[in-house]
């Protein structure tokens, strides 16, 4: 309507197409029937058809025990459809994540309003607020300043390679505690590889004879970053989507029970992550930091190099200090909303109406109000800086919550539980490690979020049949789904590390297998001891 008054830049944007224009040089009519068929029957198109085909088979052929199980059967068919698309990636995962919005109403599982409400609740608010804060940290380069300062502390003279490796890994784990582990890996990998760039190149690209210790240390640093991000993410709710899926499903299945708070999870997740971190560092030191590594690296890595990079960043600006203040305030509010039964947190002032997502969005909103001190009228954040928000993770979380509600409301959970009666007599000490190992195996071949979404409803029914608290199985299943340590495709973090060229699959297996075994052992011991105390899971719900 007012196109004539638009600035030149905006006008150019309007003239440019939203999608790239495809020019067909070859007329369609020149293609043979065989060529058209080969274009239609591609592997990807077959995978697309596989989802609805499997759904039809389930809905028409599968017989579930009991009366009036039509809705439960439809839910099972939709589950098979969605997981076929997730596993094959026939369509992009975010699009598959939105499919409950039309599949659930069409199959009579739930109403459109009910399924849509699963895509925006307190857990989703927690994710959005924390991601906006993470983007602010990244925008003002705070993560790089933090990494350089911590690495400077551990870069002693004479150089101690295991201590320097500890500094890099600890920094990554700490950053991953407060933002998604994939984002932490993406932010920390350039910092780590920037340190490695000071080391001599491989023999293929340099005439200089490179000591084997240099290549080993490079592998240790890259492996340390990708695994530390995963381990650090376990310790808080915001560190990984799996923890948030677990919390959301707990809230969906047991609305009368107390929700899992940020501080509650931290008191269990942090000791577990600390144990795993020590094991990870020990494995890396044994395999990749032989005696004398520090002496070999000392000519290339010096404190003066790190100081010069830190000086290039300049003194902390007003904007950086404000972002850190907001971030610190958010962490304090998260940790003090619910403290103990005897010492209630600030949440009691609002009679439990305020959640972790409430303060997450509130503190993120402050970033759009506080000026950045750089240019008049500019705030710390604007919506343009939020274009990198990971909506794929938000949609995947929403799909997980929708599936949990659909499995419960359709009656599928009760139907599945009838086939698990034999587990009533199984001992917990045998079930918990098995659950963790099953989740840890599946997650190597599909996303950890999808693995968690598939397993948690089944684990709830198994726990009911065993007559134990559901969290005693839900937590091992969810954390086990994060043990994707063996293959580059296990998680996006692994892909980030693998693309640096410093590591191979055999390095991941050599480091990841003992780490996976240690994680299963720690979890099997901590869940029935510390977990019982923290989550109050001595009895039933």
């Amino acid at each position: 309507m007012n196109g004539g008054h638009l600035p030149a830049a905006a006008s150019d944007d309007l003239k440019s197409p939203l999608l790239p224009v495809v020019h067909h040089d070859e007329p369609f009519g020149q293609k043979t029937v065989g060529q058209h068929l080969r274009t239609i029957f591609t592997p990807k198109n077959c995978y697309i058809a596989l989802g609805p085909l499997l759904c039809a088979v389930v809905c028409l052929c599968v017989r579930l025990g009991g009366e009036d199980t039509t809705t439960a059967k439809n839910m099972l068919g939709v589950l098979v459809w969605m997981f076929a698309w997730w596993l094959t990636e026939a369509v992009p995962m975010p699009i598959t994540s939105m499919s409950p919005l039309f599949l659930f109403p069409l199959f009579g599982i739930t109403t459109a309003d009910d399924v849509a409400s699963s895509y925006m609740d307190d857990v989703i608010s927690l994710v959005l607020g924390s991601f906006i804060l993470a983007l602010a940290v990244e925008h003002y380069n705070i993560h790089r300043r933090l990494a350089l300062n911590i690495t400077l502390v551990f870069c002693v003279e004479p150089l101690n390679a295991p201590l320097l490796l500890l500094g890099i890994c600890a920094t990554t784990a700490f950053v991953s505690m407060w933002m998604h582990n994939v984002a932490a890996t993406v932010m920390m990998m350039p910092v780590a590889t920037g340190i490695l760039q000071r080391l001599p190149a491989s023999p293929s690209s340099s005439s200089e004879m490179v000591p084997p210790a240099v290549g080993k240390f490079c592998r240790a640093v890259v492996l340390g970053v990708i695994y530390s991000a995963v381990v650090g993410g376990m310790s808080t709710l915001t560190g990984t989507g799996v923890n948030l899926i677990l919390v959301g499903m707990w809230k969906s299945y047991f609305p009368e029970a107390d929700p899992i708070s940020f501080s509650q999870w931290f008191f269990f997740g942090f000791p577990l992550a600390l144990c795993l971190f020590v094991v990870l560092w020990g494995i890396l030191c044994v395999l990749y930091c032989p005696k004398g590594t520090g002496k070999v690296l000392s000519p290339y890595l010096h404190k003066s190099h790190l100081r010069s990079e830190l000086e290039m960043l300049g003194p902390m600006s007003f904007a950086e200090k404000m972002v850190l203040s907001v971030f610190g305030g958010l962490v304090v509010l998260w940790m003090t909303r619910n403290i103990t039964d005897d010492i209630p947190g600030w949440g009691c002032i609002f009679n439990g109406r305020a959640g972790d997502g409430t303060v997450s969005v509130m503190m993120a909103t402050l970033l759009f109000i506080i000026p950045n001190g750089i240019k008049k009228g500019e705030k710390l954040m604007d919506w343009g800086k939020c274009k990198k928000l990971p909506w794929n993770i938000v949609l995947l979380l929403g799909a997980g919550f929708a599936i949990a509600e659909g499995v419960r409301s359709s009656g599928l959970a009760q139907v599945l539980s009838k086939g698990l009666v034999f587990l009533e007599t199984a001992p917990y000490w045998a079930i918990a490690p098995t659950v963790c190992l099953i989740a840890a195996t599946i997650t190597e071949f599909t996303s950890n979020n999808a693995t968690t979404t598939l397993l948690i409803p089944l684990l709830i029914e198994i726990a009911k049949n065993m007559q134990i608290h559901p969290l005693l199985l839900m937590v091992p299943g969810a954390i086990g789904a994060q043990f994707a340590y063996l293959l580059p495709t296990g998680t996006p973090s692994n892909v980030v590390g693998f693309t640096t060229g410093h590591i191979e699959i055999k390095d991941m297996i050599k480091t990841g297998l003992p780490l996976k075994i240690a994680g299963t052992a720690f979890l099997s011991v901590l869940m029935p001891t510390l977990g019982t105390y923290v989550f109050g899971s001595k009895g039933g719900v």
Side-chain angles (χ1 to χ4, degrees), residues 248-270:
M249 287 193 172
W250 170 256
K251 182 180 175 183
S252 175
Y253 273 88
F254 307 102
E256 294 84 13
D258 293 333
I260 301 173
S261 67
F262 186 95
S263 57
Q264 195 177 23
W265 181 268
F266 181 81
F267 289 137
F268 173 78
F270 182 73

